[in-house]
Amino acid sequence: GRVMLIVIESPWAGLGAGEKAKTYLRACIRDSLARNEIPWASHAMLAWTGALYETDEEQRSEGINVNKLMILKADLVAFYVDKGMSAGMTIAQRWCVMHGKKFEKRTLYA
């Protein structure tokens, strides 16, 4: 079948935006790649690289808006929920529902 573009949602600030968050996000990206998907993870692209600073309210909003636009382009939004749903993930889920976007919840550690 067709390769799908996936938006990965995982806790970032909720896991302290440090090594724990990075380790988990890395595992989520690997999981998506193993499913032959094209993963987009805004925290990897924007926060982890330092392109946007989550602590700056304006830049955080910019990041959320970029992610909302990516959700509209994506085939599916994958919520990785082993570590729970963060506030940002809840915003993204509401956005999916509002716009009729397909989403699913995934776990790495069953």
Side-chain angles (χ1 to χ4, degrees), residues 1-95:
R2 191 176 146 266
V3 178
M4 292 199 302
L5 172 64
I6 304 294
V7 169
I8 291 177
E9 288 289 340
S10 70
W12 184 257
L15 286 179
E19 283 313 307
K20 223 185 339 179
K22 288 178 183 177
T23 300
Y24 185 65
L25 181 54
R26 191 180 294 118
C28 296
I29 293 169
R30 294 288 328 150
D31 180 69
S32 176
L33 290 168
R35 296 168 189 254
N36 293 315
E37 298 168 346
I38 303 165
W40 159 268
S42 66
H43 288 119
M45 181 76 173
L46 304 174
W48 193 337
T49 61
L52 290 180
Y53 291 99
E54 287 252 311
T55 49
D56 179 307
E57 214 34 64
E58 210 171 293
Q59 290 189 22
R60 180 177 162 75
S61 294
E62 194 182 342
I64 289 169
N65 289 335
V66 165
N67 200 52
K68 284 176 171 179
L69 292 173
M70 275 306 287
I71 287 172
L72 296 180
K73 295 241 177 247
D75 298 301
L76 177 75
V77 181
F79 291 88
Y80 284 85
V81 297
D82 302 282
K83 314 279 186 190
M85 289 278 290
S86 66
M89 290 169 76
T90 304
I91 291 168
Q93 187 177 345
R94 278 198 213 113
W95 185 253

